[in-house]
Amino acid sequence: MHIRHLLLSAALGVAMAGSALADVKIGALYPFSGPLALLGDESARGLEIAVDQINASGGVHGEKVVLERGDAVDNNQAIGEARRLVSLVGVKAVFGTYSSARVIAASQVTDLAGIPYFELGAVADEVTSRNLKYLFRTNPTALHMGRAAIDMLAEKIAPGLGKDPKDLKIGIIYEDSSYGTSVAGHEAAYANERGLTIVAKSGYPANTVDMSSLVLELQDKGADVVLQTSYQNDSVLFLQQAHEAGYKPLAIIGGGGGYSMQPTADAVGKDIIDGVYDVDFTQYAVNTEATPGLAEFVAAYRAKYGAEPRSGHSLANYMGALAILQAIDAGEGFEPDQIVAAAKAIDIPDGTTATGFGVKFDETHQNERAWMMGMQWQDGKLVTVYPDKAAVAPMRFPVAN
Amino acid sequence: MTTFLQILVNGLMLGGLFAIVSIGLTLIFGIVKVVNFAHGEFLMAGMFITWLITTRLGLHPYAAVIIVVPALFVMGALTQRLLIQPLMSARDDHVQIFATVGLSTALINLALLIFGADIANTPAHGLRAPISLGPVRVLTGQLYIFGAAIALVVALHLMMKHSQIGRAIRAVAQNRSAAELMGINVNRIYILSFGIGAACVGLAAVLIAPLYPTSSNIGTYFVLTAFVVVVLGGLGSIPGAFFGALLIGMLDALSGFYIGSDLREAVVFGVFLVILILKPSGLFGNRRALSHLS
């Protein structure tokens, strides 16, 4: 018994020492199964490509980065998997997570354990507003989404329509969970700040089966512009029901979610979706001069997965992970405080990454250089139209009749 | 005025939609006395089959009715035979309820596995075309749903009243033991009734698929309202489900416009509660129908 015990611990010690010399373990916490699996997996692919690229160029501090997956299928499991990664696997940091609810749950575990957590894709305000010591976020958020929608409307769409932005009547509709509510809140606050006119602001449950009364309300109040923050089902429902009711606002601006996805366009049809705007993470139909490294990312993605990227999530995760891993490499070591110091020292200027934006963390550990782009559906494809430096096509406007 | 008329018509069409989804649910409850929490997932399954038939074979969505309705009948009958019947003798009725909850979760995840998380879009073949009725607009597909809901209520009523099988079903619903003593095979009637209830939601699925994007959780969008409709109309009452659905549809449309779309659920459920306080057995329910609940 004694000898077996000794042998076992000796073997364990050798194994651990051996792995510590060769590899450094990083947690990859995403929803890999369940309803969020599609985009969770897409997000994780971005991280995997960043890790491949780092390892190909010599690793971090000369050590190979090895990803240890955790499946955050729901909030409880996100917590359980975070615990496992931190205490059993012994990861040096956790990367994730796509879903805001999952990161909010899991980061409480990692912060208590003093393990750095890098969020690369979740947008809710609460992720960074809790002032956790070890949590950083590289991607743009609900605030950036709301601002980009209003900026694009005031600076580009209104002039294109030949209108003063202040004359446009804005209707804001949103699904009433934390995602839609926070984006719509930022849109309304920023529109007010810019002196624009909001005539309607209405939430609705995302699982609604009828939006005809909402369409009638917007028609009744004469909304020229509709901002919708929505998932897929309600995006389709609104676009179809507005069309069927004969309601044709001058512009519809979607906030990510359903509006960025090809199946939404296929569901409502090219005739209805064409001309609709969208604000989201950097997509692939973008001017690559503003996004250096994007073409290489797409090439690496094709080589690794044998397919085109399914959404911009992988790109956002790739860019964030690459910036963080390079910073850790430039830092002192793998101790939590050394990683945090390395993250705080990041100063990547705007326009030099594959997503177009730079990286610098503010005092809440949110990347203050993150921003979102404006897209438009043109001929059944989503193309970047805003800002000008990233645009690949001129914005199209409805023909006056 | 036009807006008001349009809201009324929208409410009516929404009511028709809720009605056609709810009829099968109330039928199953009225006869088998099982609250089927997997009802929404039956709808989802029917919509996916409709989508498959329409996109793979290029047929008009309504042609799928030939396959979907029998398929759902079989699905319902099997649910009763393999899942509910073995639990019928359980001391506590709640066991059956939890079994249907489990079935619901299993079906949602099965659909996720097979079809993924994306929406499936059934081609509309002109059913989304708006037509003008005087000052208001409706979709042709919505009109068909409304018509089908009325036809289904009438057909079920005639079947229950005038056919031998209908009489047997009513006998079982009224008193299981007495029906059994009269030589009716109660288990077979239950299987048949569950099948008919599921076939009704199959018809609903065919009619709804061209108008709403199909996804694995589409059933959960409809099922809560369907429960409200069924309880409001009086558990087990088919005309009750129809008029309950119209009431809910109207309330939803009117409150969505005049009070606010984020408050319409509060209004719908508020009115629902008030009606239940005033008339606990529902609009068309009688007290006797509730006696098996206690």
mmCIF file of all heavy atoms in Angstrom, chain A residues 352-376:
data_model
loop_
_atom_site.group_PDB
_atom_site.id
_atom_site.type_symbol
_atom_site.label_atom_id
_atom_site.label_comp_id
_atom_site.label_asym_id
_atom_site.label_seq_id
_atom_site.Cartn_x
_atom_site.Cartn_y
_atom_site.Cartn_z
ATOM 1 N N THR A 352 -4.924 47.928 -36.963
ATOM 2 C CA THR A 352 -3.766 47.062 -37.181
ATOM 3 C C THR A 352 -4.071 45.584 -36.943
ATOM 4 O O THR A 352 -3.183 44.755 -36.990
ATOM 5 C CB THR A 352 -2.602 47.453 -36.240
ATOM 6 O OG1 THR A 352 -3.064 47.324 -34.891
ATOM 7 C CG2 THR A 352 -2.146 48.856 -36.487
ATOM 8 N N THR A 353 -5.349 45.240 -36.669
ATOM 9 C CA THR A 353 -5.679 43.837 -36.406
ATOM 10 C C THR A 353 -6.686 43.326 -37.428
ATOM 11 O O THR A 353 -7.238 44.096 -38.213
ATOM 12 C CB THR A 353 -6.305 43.667 -35.009
ATOM 13 O OG1 THR A 353 -7.591 44.303 -35.032
ATOM 14 C CG2 THR A 353 -5.449 44.286 -33.931
ATOM 15 N N ALA A 354 -6.938 42.022 -37.360
ATOM 16 C CA ALA A 354 -7.829 41.385 -38.331
ATOM 17 C C ALA A 354 -9.275 41.834 -38.188
ATOM 18 O O ALA A 354 -10.078 41.665 -39.099
ATOM 19 C CB ALA A 354 -7.743 39.867 -38.187
ATOM 20 N N THR A 355 -9.651 42.387 -37.029
ATOM 21 C CA THR A 355 -11.013 42.908 -36.873
ATOM 22 C C THR A 355 -11.064 44.411 -37.118
ATOM 23 O O THR A 355 -12.133 45.004 -37.098
ATOM 24 C CB THR A 355 -11.555 42.657 -35.459
ATOM 25 O OG1 THR A 355 -10.600 43.168 -34.532
ATOM 26 C CG2 THR A 355 -11.780 41.185 -35.195
ATOM 27 N N GLY A 356 -9.921 45.029 -37.313
ATOM 28 C CA GLY A 356 -9.897 46.462 -37.596
ATOM 29 C C GLY A 356 -9.696 47.347 -36.382
ATOM 30 O O GLY A 356 -9.228 48.467 -36.500
ATOM 31 N N PHE A 357 -10.057 46.824 -35.188
ATOM 32 C CA PHE A 357 -9.908 47.692 -34.012
ATOM 33 C C PHE A 357 -8.673 47.310 -33.192
ATOM 34 O O PHE A 357 -8.140 46.207 -33.315
ATOM 35 C CB PHE A 357 -11.174 47.708 -33.149
ATOM 36 C CG PHE A 357 -11.703 46.369 -32.731
ATOM 37 C CD1 PHE A 357 -11.122 45.661 -31.696
ATOM 38 C CD2 PHE A 357 -12.809 45.833 -33.361
ATOM 39 C CE1 PHE A 357 -11.624 44.441 -31.295
ATOM 40 C CE2 PHE A 357 -13.321 44.599 -32.956
ATOM 41 C CZ PHE A 357 -12.725 43.904 -31.936
ATOM 42 N N GLY A 358 -8.218 48.228 -32.365
ATOM 43 C CA GLY A 358 -7.046 47.994 -31.538
ATOM 44 C C GLY A 358 -7.423 47.388 -30.207
ATOM 45 O O GLY A 358 -8.568 47.013 -29.980
ATOM 46 N N VAL A 359 -6.439 47.279 -29.318
ATOM 47 C CA VAL A 359 -6.708 46.752 -27.979
ATOM 48 C C VAL A 359 -6.018 47.618 -26.946
ATOM 49 O O VAL A 359 -4.802 47.857 -27.024
ATOM 50 C CB VAL A 359 -6.205 45.299 -27.811
ATOM 51 C CG1 VAL A 359 -6.577 44.759 -26.428
ATOM 52 C CG2 VAL A 359 -6.757 44.387 -28.884
ATOM 53 N N LYS A 360 -6.786 48.141 -26.018
ATOM 54 C CA LYS A 360 -6.243 48.764 -24.811
ATOM 55 C C LYS A 360 -7.342 48.686 -23.768
ATOM 56 O O LYS A 360 -8.493 49.035 -24.035
ATOM 57 C CB LYS A 360 -5.841 50.219 -25.066
ATOM 58 C CG LYS A 360 -5.248 50.877 -23.843
ATOM 59 C CD LYS A 360 -4.479 52.136 -24.193
ATOM 60 C CE LYS A 360 -3.904 52.799 -22.948
ATOM 61 N NZ LYS A 360 -3.057 51.872 -22.152
ATOM 62 N N PHE A 361 -7.014 48.162 -22.585
ATOM 63 C CA PHE A 361 -8.054 47.956 -21.582
ATOM 64 C C PHE A 361 -8.204 49.203 -20.709
ATOM 65 O O PHE A 361 -7.221 49.807 -20.286
ATOM 66 C CB PHE A 361 -7.728 46.744 -20.719
ATOM 67 C CG PHE A 361 -7.774 45.455 -21.503
ATOM 68 C CD1 PHE A 361 -6.609 44.760 -21.794
ATOM 69 C CD2 PHE A 361 -8.988 44.962 -21.974
ATOM 70 C CE1 PHE A 361 -6.659 43.589 -22.527
ATOM 71 C CE2 PHE A 361 -9.042 43.792 -22.714
ATOM 72 C CZ PHE A 361 -7.864 43.099 -22.999
ATOM 73 N N ASP A 362 -9.489 49.561 -20.469
ATOM 74 C CA ASP A 362 -9.738 50.681 -19.548
ATOM 75 C C ASP A 362 -9.767 50.158 -18.108
ATOM 76 O O ASP A 362 -9.456 48.998 -17.865
ATOM 77 C CB ASP A 362 -11.040 51.404 -19.926
ATOM 78 C CG ASP A 362 -12.276 50.506 -19.780
ATOM 79 O OD1 ASP A 362 -12.161 49.442 -19.133
ATOM 80 O OD2 ASP A 362 -13.328 50.866 -20.319
ATOM 81 N N GLU A 363 -10.190 51.002 -17.172
ATOM 82 C CA GLU A 363 -10.085 50.594 -15.765
ATOM 83 C C GLU A 363 -11.061 49.468 -15.400
ATOM 84 O O GLU A 363 -10.863 48.760 -14.421
ATOM 85 C CB GLU A 363 -10.265 51.802 -14.830
ATOM 86 C CG GLU A 363 -11.631 52.424 -14.795
ATOM 87 C CD GLU A 363 -11.886 53.349 -15.997
ATOM 88 O OE1 GLU A 363 -11.017 53.481 -16.887
ATOM 89 O OE2 GLU A 363 -12.964 53.949 -16.028
ATOM 90 N N THR A 364 -12.133 49.280 -16.232
ATOM 91 C CA THR A 364 -13.025 48.144 -15.965
ATOM 92 C C THR A 364 -12.551 46.877 -16.687
ATOM 93 O O THR A 364 -13.232 45.863 -16.658
ATOM 94 C CB THR A 364 -14.463 48.434 -16.444
ATOM 95 O OG1 THR A 364 -14.453 48.541 -17.868
ATOM 96 C CG2 THR A 364 -15.008 49.707 -15.857
ATOM 97 N N HIS A 365 -11.412 46.954 -17.369
ATOM 98 C CA HIS A 365 -10.856 45.846 -18.146
ATOM 99 C C HIS A 365 -11.634 45.573 -19.431
ATOM 100 O O HIS A 365 -11.597 44.487 -19.966
ATOM 101 C CB HIS A 365 -10.754 44.564 -17.329
ATOM 102 C CG HIS A 365 -9.790 44.683 -16.176
ATOM 103 N ND1 HIS A 365 -9.550 43.666 -15.291
ATOM 104 C CD2 HIS A 365 -9.004 45.715 -15.776
ATOM 105 C CE1 HIS A 365 -8.665 44.062 -14.384
ATOM 106 N NE2 HIS A 365 -8.324 45.306 -14.658
ATOM 107 N N GLN A 366 -12.395 46.567 -19.895
ATOM 108 C CA GLN A 366 -13.039 46.467 -21.207
ATOM 109 C C GLN A 366 -12.081 47.082 -22.236
ATOM 110 O O GLN A 366 -11.425 48.081 -21.969
ATOM 111 C CB GLN A 366 -14.374 47.227 -21.195
ATOM 112 C CG GLN A 366 -14.956 47.530 -22.572
ATOM 113 C CD GLN A 366 -15.295 46.263 -23.356
ATOM 114 O OE1 GLN A 366 -15.738 45.265 -22.789
ATOM 115 N NE2 GLN A 366 -15.047 46.283 -24.659
ATOM 116 N N ASN A 367 -12.000 46.446 -23.407
ATOM 117 C CA ASN A 367 -11.184 46.988 -24.489
ATOM 118 C C ASN A 367 -11.808 48.291 -24.986
ATOM 119 O O ASN A 367 -12.850 48.288 -25.638
ATOM 120 C CB ASN A 367 -11.099 45.977 -25.634
ATOM 121 C CG ASN A 367 -10.309 46.524 -26.815
ATOM 122 O OD1 ASN A 367 -9.668 47.580 -26.725
ATOM 123 N ND2 ASN A 367 -10.355 45.808 -27.921
ATOM 124 N N GLU A 368 -11.176 49.425 -24.680
ATOM 125 C CA GLU A 368 -11.785 50.709 -25.033
ATOM 126 C C GLU A 368 -11.602 51.047 -26.503
ATOM 127 O O GLU A 368 -12.197 51.994 -27.003
ATOM 128 C CB GLU A 368 -11.205 51.818 -24.145
ATOM 129 C CG GLU A 368 -9.706 52.027 -24.333
ATOM 130 C CD GLU A 368 -9.129 53.085 -23.380
ATOM 131 O OE1 GLU A 368 -9.760 53.325 -22.339
ATOM 132 O OE2 GLU A 368 -8.079 53.641 -23.702
ATOM 133 N N ARG A 369 -10.781 50.287 -27.219
ATOM 134 C CA ARG A 369 -10.605 50.568 -28.646
ATOM 135 C C ARG A 369 -11.504 49.702 -29.533
ATOM 136 O O ARG A 369 -11.395 49.731 -30.747
ATOM 137 C CB ARG A 369 -9.146 50.359 -29.037
ATOM 138 C CG ARG A 369 -8.262 51.426 -28.416
ATOM 139 C CD ARG A 369 -6.864 51.459 -28.949
ATOM 140 N NE ARG A 369 -6.120 52.457 -28.196
ATOM 141 C CZ ARG A 369 -4.823 52.395 -27.947
ATOM 142 N NH1 ARG A 369 -4.121 51.376 -28.410
ATOM 143 N NH2 ARG A 369 -4.236 53.337 -27.268
ATOM 144 N N ALA A 370 -12.338 48.892 -28.926
ATOM 145 C CA ALA A 370 -13.221 48.046 -29.733
ATOM 146 C C ALA A 370 -14.342 48.881 -30.346
ATOM 147 O O ALA A 370 -14.813 49.841 -29.743
ATOM 148 C CB ALA A 370 -13.814 46.945 -28.854
ATOM 149 N N TRP A 371 -14.736 48.552 -31.548
ATOM 150 C CA TRP A 371 -15.920 49.179 -32.157
ATOM 151 C C TRP A 371 -16.562 48.208 -33.123
ATOM 152 O O TRP A 371 -15.979 47.199 -33.479
ATOM 153 C CB TRP A 371 -15.570 50.490 -32.856
ATOM 154 C CG TRP A 371 -14.350 50.469 -33.747
ATOM 155 C CD1 TRP A 371 -13.054 50.646 -33.369
ATOM 156 C CD2 TRP A 371 -14.312 50.268 -35.179
ATOM 157 N NE1 TRP A 371 -12.220 50.570 -34.453
ATOM 158 C CE2 TRP A 371 -12.959 50.345 -35.578
ATOM 159 C CE3 TRP A 371 -15.299 50.044 -36.145
ATOM 160 C CZ2 TRP A 371 -12.564 50.191 -36.914
ATOM 161 C CZ3 TRP A 371 -14.901 49.902 -37.477
ATOM 162 C CH2 TRP A 371 -13.540 49.975 -37.840
ATOM 163 N N MET A 372 -17.786 48.527 -33.517
ATOM 164 C CA MET A 372 -18.504 47.639 -34.429
ATOM 165 C C MET A 372 -18.658 48.297 -35.793
ATOM 166 O O MET A 372 -18.542 49.506 -35.928
ATOM 167 C CB MET A 372 -19.885 47.296 -33.864
ATOM 168 C CG MET A 372 -19.805 46.337 -32.696
ATOM 169 S SD MET A 372 -21.337 45.449 -32.487
ATOM 170 C CE MET A 372 -20.962 44.536 -30.988
ATOM 171 N N MET A 373 -18.905 47.473 -36.787
ATOM 172 C CA MET A 373 -19.047 47.975 -38.141
ATOM 173 C C MET A 373 -20.514 47.924 -38.568
ATOM 174 O O MET A 373 -21.324 47.219 -37.988
ATOM 175 C CB MET A 373 -18.216 47.120 -39.094
ATOM 176 C CG MET A 373 -16.727 47.225 -38.834
ATOM 177 S SD MET A 373 -15.797 46.492 -40.167
ATOM 178 C CE MET A 373 -14.131 46.796 -39.576
ATOM 179 N N GLY A 374 -20.816 48.679 -39.620
ATOM 180 C CA GLY A 374 -22.163 48.666 -40.189
ATOM 181 C C GLY A 374 -22.169 47.891 -41.494
ATOM 182 O O GLY A 374 -21.275 48.052 -42.328
ATOM 183 N N MET A 375 -23.161 47.021 -41.631
ATOM 184 C CA MET A 375 -23.286 46.220 -42.848
ATOM 185 C C MET A 375 -24.629 46.518 -43.513
ATOM 186 O O MET A 375 -25.528 47.092 -42.898
ATOM 187 C CB MET A 375 -23.229 44.720 -42.510
ATOM 188 C CG MET A 375 -21.863 44.110 -42.386
ATOM 189 S SD MET A 375 -20.910 44.692 -40.967
ATOM 190 C CE MET A 375 -21.809 43.953 -39.629
ATOM 191 N N GLN A 376 -24.743 46.119 -44.774
ATOM 192 C CA GLN A 376 -26.036 46.206 -45.455
ATOM 193 C C GLN A 376 -26.235 44.942 -46.290
ATOM 194 O O GLN A 376 -25.277 44.425 -46.871
ATOM 195 C CB GLN A 376 -26.096 47.437 -46.363
ATOM 196 C CG GLN A 376 -27.480 47.667 -46.969
ATOM 197 C CD GLN A 376 -27.565 48.932 -47.791
ATOM 198 O OE1 GLN A 376 -26.589 49.368 -48.395
ATOM 199 N NE2 GLN A 376 -28.753 49.530 -47.828
#
